[in-house]
């Protein structure tokens, strides 16, 4: 009771504050998303993601070496697929010499101990910009899940340590797990995007990969029949528990900041590591506000990352990873 308890004593100076700090950020917290394109010498800034780039394989090599030096030991790969290779089925995704498969090998050659996770979803390969195969104007579930299992297998064969299905089809974790087991890839992990919401915060990412749903008659305009309704909370627990039952090693909540209530609930409910994806729109918002001089970029970035970890994130997927770690290393 006051004045016996004066809470401000523990805030007197930075030494005591750091001594009693509950949440500490380290390079080990991060999984770094990387965008890969065809070509040579390409380092393309993404217009809606300032200071974030798409790399061709030769420059990807330098980038992962730099990440490794900074203490960032895990990457999540996304590919931008040339338009002429896109179709409804995503066939190019199975090409053993496709961009993703070569990207995996490039990272492993450059940094053999780097943990390589791959995005498993149809949208970058789909002419329609959807995460599933479309029949009669609908996203078909089971055929898509089967395809994603083949895609996962192809990534595992190329050397991926983890596959990360980001599509939200029902049952795909089990389908993928069985395919990996049956082919002997018993140590290939699955990080499931388990509570992934139909969010408007993915806009800049879709610019980066040119993967937005097309505006065509008979093609769904959005992803609301598979990604979750952002009004829902209990459903996130159900989705996550089902993915764990089906074999997910790591589960994920996405997006990050607006969904930290969900992160905490899931963290309390499950006993596997929980990843949080601070998505492209979250990155873009801070960059834009900082550019205008309205927010202190580094201070807000550290506050946001700390909030994500405090909410329960064991793994943080963030475009800020490098910026954060540079500050930590100062
Ligand atoms: C697609 C995928 C998306 C993101 C990761 N994988 C976009 C979407 O679902 O439309 C979004 C990442 C971001 O916004 O940073 N399977």
């Amino acid at each position: 009771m006051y004045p016996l308890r004066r809470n401000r004593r523990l805030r007197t100076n930075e030494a005591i504050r750091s001594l009693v700090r509950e949440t500490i950020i380290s390079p080990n917290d991060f999984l770094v998303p990387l965008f890969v394109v065809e070509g040579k010498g390409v380092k393309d800034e993404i217009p809606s993601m300032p200071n974030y780039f798409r790399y061709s394989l030769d420059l990807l090599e330098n980038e992962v070496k730099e990440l490794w030096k900074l203490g960032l030991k895990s990457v999540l790969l996304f590919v931008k697929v040339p338009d002429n290779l896109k179709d409804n089925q995503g066939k190019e995704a199975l090409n053993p010499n496709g961009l993703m498969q070569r990207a995996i090998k490039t990272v492993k050659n450059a940094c053999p101990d780097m943990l390589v996770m791959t995005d498993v979803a149809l949208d970058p390969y789909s002419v329609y910009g959807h995460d599933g195969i479309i029949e009669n104007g609908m996203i078909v579930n089971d055929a898509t899940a089967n395809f994603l299992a083949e895609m996962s297998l192809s990534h595992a064969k190329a050397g991926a340590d983890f596959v990360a299905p980001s599509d939200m089809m029902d049952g795909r974790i089990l389908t993928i797990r069985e395919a990996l087991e049956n082919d002997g890839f018993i140590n290939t992990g699955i990080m499931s995007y388990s509570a992934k919401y139909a969010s408007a915060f993915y806009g800049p990412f879709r610019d980066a990969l040119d993967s937005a749903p097309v505006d065509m008659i008979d093609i769904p305009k959005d992803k609301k029949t598979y990604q979750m309704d952002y009004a829902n909370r209990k459903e996130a627990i159900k989705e996550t528990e089902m993915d764990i039952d089906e074999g997910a090693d790591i589960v994920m909540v996405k997006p990050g900041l607006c969904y930290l209530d969900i992160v905490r609930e899931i963290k309390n409910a499950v006993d596997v590591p929980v990843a949080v994806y601070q998505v492209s729109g979250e990155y873009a918002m801070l960059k834009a506000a900082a550019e205008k001089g309205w927010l202190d970029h580094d201070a807000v970035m550290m506050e946001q990352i700390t909030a994500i970890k405090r909410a329960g994130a064991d793994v943080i997927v963030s475009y800020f990873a490098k910026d954060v770690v540079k500050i930590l290393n100062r």
Side-chain angles (χ1 to χ4, degrees), residues 78 119 121 123 131 166 193 196 201-202 205-206 223 227 254 277 279-281 319:
F78 295 93
D119 183 57
D123 52 331
D131 296 49
S166 64
Y193 288 61
K196 176 171 178 177
F201 282 98
Y202 306 149
F205 173 96
R206 294 176 188 171
K223 299 189 174 185
Q227 298 179 350
K254 177 183 176 187
Y277 201 140
V279 301
S280 57
Y319 304 102

Side-chain angles (χ1 to χ4, degrees), residues 63-72 111 114 325 329:
E63 180 63 14
V64 294
K65 284 181 179 158
E66 192 185 330
L67 294 175
W68 186 261
K69 276 205 200 105
L70 289 167
L72 291 161
C111 272
M114 181 77 81
V325 168
N329 290 348

Side-chain angles (χ1 to χ4, degrees), residues 121 126 132 136-137 147 150 190 192 208 212 268:
S126 158
N136 306 319
F147 186 84
E150 282 188 68
I190 303 178
S192 169
N268 289 343

Side-chain angles (χ1 to χ4, degrees), residues 107-115:
V107 177
K108 282 291 182 186
N109 279 333
C111 272
D113 296 325
M114 181 77 81
L115 184 89

